[in-house]
Amino acid sequence: MKPAGGMQIAHHHFRAMGTDVDAWLWNSHEQRAHNALRMVERFFAKTEARLSRFRADSELSRLNRAAGSTFMASPVLFGLVEDALAWRTRTGGIFDPAVLPALIDAGYDRSFAEIEAGPAAVRSGPIAPAHPVNAADIRLDPNGAIALPPGVALDLGGIAKGWTVQEAVHQLGMWGPCLVDAGGDIACMGRPPAEPWVVTVADPRDETRDLAVLSLENEAVATSSRVKRQWLRDGKAAHHLIDPRTGAPAVTNVLSVTVVAPRLPDAEIHAKTALILGERAGRAYLADCPDVAAILVMDDNRIATSGAFEERAYVPSISTFIDRLHAAG
């Protein structure tokens, strides 16, 4: 049954950027809606081909191979590198795009699907000594040129994915209320005819259980977790969240951080930064972020919230286990 005005919801599912992507659009014309949704899939494919570090022919890979010289970048790549460096400054270096060599040294040298397909997801071989990551010497020229110092290589990962989802929603939103979900990183535009967009946040300790239920309107939500993307390297546990201060997988007592923010790239970076910082510093960081609400899960199963998360979300048994930020010492 269609809501008043003939609006109906259309859905499209596809794979991109190593994850499942789902897009929904409310529109009164079925064929127009499906055409718009297929346009989103093509946009993801085009962006992945440009920005994936796992593709030798991508523009990002060519930039990384040009380290030590000047590379003329497309407006998309230049803009993302510029944004990433601005976030590096804003987070005091906790978010740093120059983590690629450290990721490779930690064992994340292939797509995670390939790592999982390997023998027990184990990487072997000598582990290079970790050292701090530093993108401070990257130079950007207003004419679109990027100069990476020798030995520096970029992984735009989360910020590129967040930008892609946000841009896809912007394009799709011309046709009606829409939502795009790329592996739990979600952005939406507009309000469906009957109610706001409703999404669930999975519990990192048990994905069959919802940690929270959120209603969204012209917002985004992102989760950073060290539970999923982990492996063994030389008998030691490793994960994909590199602490630039050490150049090694972050040592943190935070399992996951989910952030609601106006834009998905911002939510992605806030969540990752808070997780790497750990509970105390991460909570302080989030408390200083305007227009941000978050929920954190710690190793010992405690849960903390930031901003107005409690007011805007349903969290089962919240009165039992919420460790409120305003009560933190």
Side-chain angles (χ1 to χ4, degrees):
M1 179 174 134
K2 298 180 183 179
M7 296 281 282
Q8 59 185 323
I9 192 166
H11 169 243
H12 185 48
H13 171 84
F14 57 94
R15 290 281 300 179
M17 297 184 168
T19 193
D20 289 307
V21 182
D22 289 276
W24 289 268
L25 172 66
W26 281 94
N27 191 275
S28 59
H29 192 285
E30 182 177 0
Q31 189 58 50
R32 182 185 299 129
H34 284 292
N35 288 343
L37 291 168
R38 284 193 288 270
M39 174 194 71
V40 167
E41 181 175 6
R42 291 193 297 271
F43 176 70
F44 265 81
K46 179 180 178 180
T47 305
E48 183 175 10
R50 182 192 298 275
L51 300 175
S52 173
R53 72 173 175 94
F54 301 112
R55 297 190 179 193
D57 60 345
S58 74
E59 186 182 10
L60 177 61
S61 293
R62 288 186 283 116
L63 167 64
N64 286 334
R65 289 196 297 270
S69 60
T70 299
F71 181 87
M72 288 301 301
S74 68
V76 169
L77 179 59
F78 186 90
L80 283 171
V81 173
E82 186 175 43
D83 288 347
L85 294 178
W87 276 107
R88 179 186 181 276
T89 299
R90 182 173 175 180
T91 61
I94 299 303
F95 174 85
D96 193 309
V99 295
L100 182 54
L103 278 169
I104 293 172
D105 288 343
Y108 198 4
D109 54 351
R110 301 157 291 161
S111 70
F112 197 71
E114 293 177 290
I115 291 177
E116 288 185 310
V122 175
R123 298 292 296 151
S124 60
I127 301 176
H131 54 82
V133 173
N134 192 345
D137 293 330
I138 295 174
R139 296 291 175 258
L140 303 182
D141 192 288
N143 68 0
I146 302 174
L148 303 182
V152 171
L154 306 184
D155 173 35
L156 296 178
I159 193 171
K161 181 181 174 186
W163 176 86
T164 303
V165 174
Q166 194 70 54
E167 184 63 22
V169 163
H170 178 74
Q171 296 176 15
L172 201 56
M174 296 187 294
W175 304 103
C178 61
L179 182 145
V180 177
D181 176 355
D185 292 336
I186 298 168
C188 67
M189 180 175 290
R191 181 185 178 95
E195 61 184 11
W197 297 102
V198 177
V199 302
T200 59
V201 179
D203 190 325
R205 303 156 298 183
D206 179 4
E207 290 201 344
T208 66
R209 187 175 67 176
D210 293 335
L211 182 66
V213 181
L214 291 162
S215 61
L216 302 177
E217 186 175 347
N218 297 315
E219 292 174 296
V221 58
T223 297
S224 186
S225 171
R226 58 183 175 85
V227 174
K228 281 188 176 181
R229 296 194 172 185
Q230 55 181 317
W231 57 91
L232 294 178
R233 180 70 190 267
D234 206 28
K236 297 181 180 180
H239 59 80
H240 71 296
L241 295 167
I242 299 295
D243 185 339
R245 297 169 298 186
T246 65
V251 177
T252 171
N253 69 324
V254 181
L255 278 178
S256 73
V257 182
T258 296
V259 169
V260 183
R263 296 180 65 256
L264 186 55
D266 301 1
E268 289 263 11
I269 293 169
H270 288 319
K272 181 177 183 178
T273 299
L275 188 145
I276 291 173
L277 284 170
E279 180 183 359
R280 182 178 293 274
R283 291 169 65 172
Y285 168 83
L286 291 170
D288 286 337
C289 296
D291 302 321
V292 164
I295 185 167
L296 304 84
V297 181
M298 263 61 77
D299 276 338
D300 59 5
N301 295 323
R302 286 179 304 110
I303 293 178
T305 62
S306 174
F309 195 91
E310 293 180 44
E311 287 73 24
R312 58 168 304 139
Y314 168 66
V315 182
S317 304
I318 193 167
S319 62
T320 302
F321 53 63
I322 284 292
D323 180 14
R324 292 174 176 81
L325 277 176
H326 57 70

